[in-house]
Amino acid sequence: MRYILSLFLVFSSYLSAQNPYPQDYFSNPLDIPLVLSGTFAELRSNHFHSGLDIKTQQRTGLKVKASASGFVSRIKVSHYGYGKALYITHPNGYTTVYAHLQKFSPDIEAYVKKHQYKNESYEIELFPKAENLPIQKDSLIAYSGNSGGSGGPHLHYEIRDKQERPINPMLFGIDIKDSVNPIITSIYVYPLDNNSFVNSSNSKQKIRLTPLKNGDYTTENIEAIGNIGFAVGTFDRQDLAANSNGVYNIQTFYNGTRNFEIDFKRFAFSETKHINQLIDYEHFATKRQRIQKLFRKNNPLSILKPALNEGVLNIKDSTYSVYKIRVADYKNNESWVTIHIKGAKNKSLKQEPAKITPYFVNSSQTTHLKEGIVSVDFYKDTFYEDFYIDFEVKNDTLKLHEDVKAAKKNFNITFDVSKYSIEDRNSLYIAKLLGDNKYPAYTSTKRKDHLLIARTKKLGTYALSMDTVSPTISAKNFKDKQWLSNFRYLKVKIDDQESGISNYRATVNGKWILMEYDYKTKTLTHDFNDNVITDTKNNLKVIVTDNVGNNSTFETLFYRK
């Protein structure tokens, strides 16, 4: 059976293998062998990974080259996310993206700093014209780094089409050594309605998985009746790295007929949020493991290809079926799972009692919940499905279900704080209580008269929290009244233990200076090579404000020749 399916797949690949993407147009962006820490469309928190994460040998400062000629069309510098990112548009219509950079090449760096000083802001987004920053293929454009939300030094590299949709760079000939088959870690099966059962149960079950000598897998046989679906836990590895990365393609076959397919070639940023409907969101929330559902249910993702009955299997009594799962990486290394299904309706069927609460969310309608000082508004199409929701308010704490239901869009949580004094209201914010210790984590909070409003996609426990403590500021690499003539950098440490840092401003002798904020090290850094500090005696003033408006001021003297 596998041999026949493999021939079918090879023939299908041949028919569709007229790769529409140019193979020799884009060159490698680094002068080192390409080793990945992250693959395209890899499953991440609330999104698919939109490029390749290329390892930089655990260091920063490697030269980053333009993959092709073009012009810098966008530059974005931010504290989080991509950090320092560069976008180059090419004559063939594609755009390459280079992110988590340490710094830009000298001409681009000068262009960016000119606008940062003009706007008096480190965070900035620029859209240069084609004639401003033309780029030649293989020319130096930046140096690799660890800026923004990066978890370690690497280069994030993307290729996007004219519609700004990211595409797997390997489709353009970017080559990564990979001769390793994907690894299957788990298989789950789901009865999909009240009249469907697996092994006499109406609940999701984990199936025992057995590796075979040839690298494939089999499972225990199952008995089922009605509509069922499967989910798979899987990852891939390349030859030169031990990272657990995403796979390229998943297909299923039911009695030899293709049943379902997930094709990780391209996606749109507007749909990446639907990853939470592709995975079993409750499973991830409770076990921190991402398993991918092999059936479509209220999910518009374009990576899900047209499927027979949306991947759902309808098992009849007294039948015998074979279900196969094929997982492949880009180099077509593949692993197969074979599951034998007997259609049988056991007399002693176990059905989980449905949990019913006084509150019901109809996903196609707006739902308004209110108790005490708290109200919650779920607008139409906030969730993928209908469900009974836990809603309970005690004093200043809201229990809003458990975070086990994926939301498509934000909903509003509103606290009426009119019982508090005006002074106390200014120190309040809405916090999500995390972990067993119920640690309060700041949730973006807006104030409107006597109301505090948070917009979020996360269910869970929320409470009013108060922050009356101002941020801390201290010199990091110098002392008061020190001579800094031989220093390249001026560094200040800032921190806030409650609601977190909102913004900061630094001046020397009353003149704004650029200071780069690294939230991972809680450090503000000024580069004296900016040449904006020209006096011998210098008064540094740093003002830092937290998310509820508490602020601190730090002043000190330093000298330079």
Side-chain angles (χ1 to χ4, degrees):
M1 175 68 74
R2 173 175 174 173
Y3 176 73
I4 296 173
L5 288 174
S6 295
L7 284 178
F8 168 75
L9 290 168
V10 169
F11 182 66
S12 298
S13 298
Y14 174 78
L15 290 178
S16 61
Q18 276 121 38
N19 192 332
Y21 306 109
Q23 295 301 289
D24 301 315
Y25 192 89
F26 296 108
S27 61
N28 295 346
L30 297 171
D31 283 328
I32 59 173
L34 297 188
V35 180
L36 301 184
S37 60
T39 52
F40 181 80
E42 196 168 270
L43 308 180
R44 300 286 179 90
S45 292
N46 304 311
H47 71 285
F48 295 102
H49 188 231
S50 55
L52 302 180
D53 280 347
I54 304 172
K55 293 192 175 192
T56 54
Q57 302 173 338
Q58 299 181 335
R59 54 197 174 112
T60 60
L62 274 63
K63 293 181 178 180
V64 179
K65 306 181 304 179
S67 283
S69 297
F71 68 95
V72 176
S73 55
R74 182 184 179 195
I75 305 167
K76 187 171 184 180
V77 179
S78 54
H79 297 139
Y80 308 101
Y82 280 10
K84 295 181 180 180
L86 195 65
Y87 301 71
I88 300 178
T89 295
H90 307 282
N92 65 354
Y94 293 101
T95 297
T96 50
V97 183
Y98 314 77
H100 303 307
L101 302 170
Q102 180 190 64
K103 60 181 179 179
F104 305 110
S105 63
D107 54 338
I108 300 175
E109 187 82 3
Y111 180 89
V112 172
K113 285 196 172 183
K114 175 183 175 181
H115 286 83
Q116 287 174 317
Y117 274 97
K118 178 181 178 181
N119 295 348
E120 296 192 353
S121 174
Y122 169 73
E123 290 194 302
I124 198 165
E125 186 170 17
L126 304 169
F127 297 92
K129 296 180 180 179
E131 62 270 19
N132 291 146
L133 295 169
I135 298 294
Q136 295 300 313
K137 183 173 184 176
D138 293 329
S139 63
L140 174 70
I141 55 171
Y143 295 88
S144 68
N146 187 31
S147 61
S150 170
H154 72 279
L155 174 67
H156 175 89
Y157 175 76
E158 295 179 20
I159 300 179
R160 301 182 184 180
D161 64 14
K162 291 180 180 179
Q163 286 76 46
E164 282 291 300
R165 294 175 299 187
I167 305 168
N168 192 333
M170 295 185 191
L171 289 164
F172 295 83
I174 302 296
D175 189 42
I176 307 296
K177 291 183 179 180
D178 186 356
S179 60
V180 182
N181 290 347
I183 296 170
I184 312 295
T185 58
S186 58
I187 299 291
Y188 288 82
V189 59
Y190 299 72
L192 294 178
D193 54 52
N194 292 333
N195 298 314
S196 300
F197 296 83
V198 175
N199 295 334
S200 303
S201 173
N202 189 236
S203 300
K204 176 182 83 174
Q205 297 174 48
K206 186 176 184 179
I207 304 175
R208 187 172 65 251
L209 191 64
T210 303
L212 302 176
K213 290 182 179 180
N214 67 351
D216 291 337
Y217 302 79
T218 188
T219 71
E220 61 182 303
N221 296 341
I222 65 172
E223 292 186 354
I225 199 77
N227 294 320
I228 67 172
F230 288 85
V232 61
T234 183
F235 65 87
D236 189 40
R237 284 201 172 107
Q238 288 82 46
D239 289 1
L240 302 177
N243 300 76
S244 299
N245 297 135
V247 301
Y248 181 71
N249 185 273
I250 302 175
Q251 297 177 358
T252 69
F253 300 85
Y254 183 50
N255 292 332
T257 300
R258 186 180 298 192
N259 173 254
F260 191 72
E261 182 176 5
I262 310 175
D263 187 13
F264 297 101
K265 287 181 181 176
R266 184 186 70 189
F267 63 87
F269 285 109
S270 60
E271 62 178 329
T272 190
K273 62 186 177 183
H274 298 302
I275 187 175
N276 287 329
Q277 185 67 354
L278 172 66
I279 66 171
D280 183 328
Y281 186 81
E282 181 174 356
H283 189 91
F284 174 69
T286 55
K287 301 182 182 298
R288 310 315 294 173
Q289 300 168 348
R290 293 186 179 93
I291 58 174
Q292 300 172 68
K293 291 181 284 190
L294 303 177
F295 55 95
R296 186 196 293 263
K297 185 178 180 182
N298 302 326
N299 196 339
L301 276 173
S302 62
I303 64 172
L304 303 182
K305 301 306 175 185
L308 180 65
N309 199 28
E310 302 291 14
V312 175
L313 312 184
N314 182 253
I315 308 300
K316 304 292 186 182
D317 194 11
S318 303
T319 59
Y320 293 88
S321 308
V322 177
Y323 182 75
K324 287 181 175 286
I325 304 169
R326 175 186 181 262
V327 180
D329 60 27
Y330 182 78
K331 290 297 184 72
N332 216 31
N333 303 302
E334 58 182 25
S335 296
W336 291 76
V337 183
T338 300
I339 304 169
H340 294 274
I341 306 169
K342 178 183 178 182
K345 187 171 183 179
N346 194 296
K347 293 182 180 179
S348 56
L349 299 177
K350 295 176 290 184
Q351 189 163 3
E352 286 287 325
K355 183 178 179 179
I356 298 177
T357 75
Y359 307 99
F360 184 73
V361 175
N362 186 325
S363 60
S364 63
Q365 300 176 2
T366 294
T367 302
H368 177 74
L369 306 175
K370 188 175 188 328
E371 183 177 336
I373 66 169
V374 180
S375 61
V376 178
D377 293 294
F378 300 120
Y379 299 105
K380 179 181 177 181
D381 292 328
T382 295
F383 295 99
Y384 292 93
E385 56 195 21
D386 305 341
F387 65 100
Y388 284 96
I389 189 169
D390 290 319
F391 175 72
E392 182 182 9
V393 178
K394 288 185 177 180
N395 299 320
D396 291 343
T397 300
L398 162 69
K399 182 180 179 183
L400 189 63
H401 213 71
E402 299 290 337
D403 183 20
V404 295
K405 297 291 184 181
K408 299 182 194 179
K409 56 188 180 183
N410 289 318
F411 53 87
N412 288 347
I413 299 174
T414 303
F415 280 77
D416 185 334
V417 294
S418 55
K419 69 178 182 180
Y420 289 90
S421 67
I422 299 296
E423 182 180 359
D424 285 346
R425 288 182 203 176
N426 292 333
S427 299
L428 289 172
Y429 64 93
I430 299 174
K432 191 173 193 297
L433 303 186
L434 304 178
D436 295 335
N437 296 326
K438 300 301 181 184
Y439 172 79
Y442 175 81
T443 301
S444 182
T445 304
K446 291 186 177 181
R447 289 173 165 76
K448 185 177 180 181
D449 297 326
H450 60 282
L451 302 177
L452 296 184
I453 305 168
R455 287 179 58 77
T456 180
K457 287 183 179 179
K458 298 285 188 179
L459 298 171
T461 303
Y462 291 84
L464 286 178
S465 191
M466 183 172 288
D467 180 3
T468 59
V469 180
S470 298
T472 59
I473 312 172
S474 59
K476 187 169 183 177
N477 69 333
F478 65 98
K479 298 178 181 179
D480 186 38
K481 299 179 182 178
Q482 183 176 348
W483 281 88
L484 305 180
S485 301
N486 297 323
F487 281 51
R488 168 72 187 272
Y489 298 105
L490 179 72
K491 296 187 177 184
V492 174
K493 184 172 182 178
I494 64 174
D495 195 12
D496 188 82
Q497 295 295 322
E498 296 290 333
S499 59
I501 302 294
S502 173
N503 57 71
Y504 61 90
R505 179 179 176 84
T507 59
V508 169
N509 299 331
K511 184 178 181 180
W512 185 86
I513 64 168
L514 176 65
M515 296 199 86
E516 178 175 339
Y517 176 46
D518 183 348
Y519 75 93
K520 296 187 286 283
T521 61
K522 303 176 181 179
T523 301
L524 294 176
T525 302
H526 173 71
D527 187 348
F528 283 122
N529 282 0
D530 287 358
N531 295 319
V532 296
I533 299 175
T534 57
D535 295 337
T536 300
K537 183 179 179 181
N538 298 283
N539 178 52
L540 171 68
K541 184 177 182 179
V542 180
I543 302 173
V544 179
T545 306
D546 66 21
N547 278 303
V548 299
N550 300 308
N551 63 74
S552 296
T553 300
F554 171 82
E555 292 193 75
T556 189
L557 287 175
F558 67 88
Y559 299 89
R560 277 178 64 84
K561 286 185 179 178

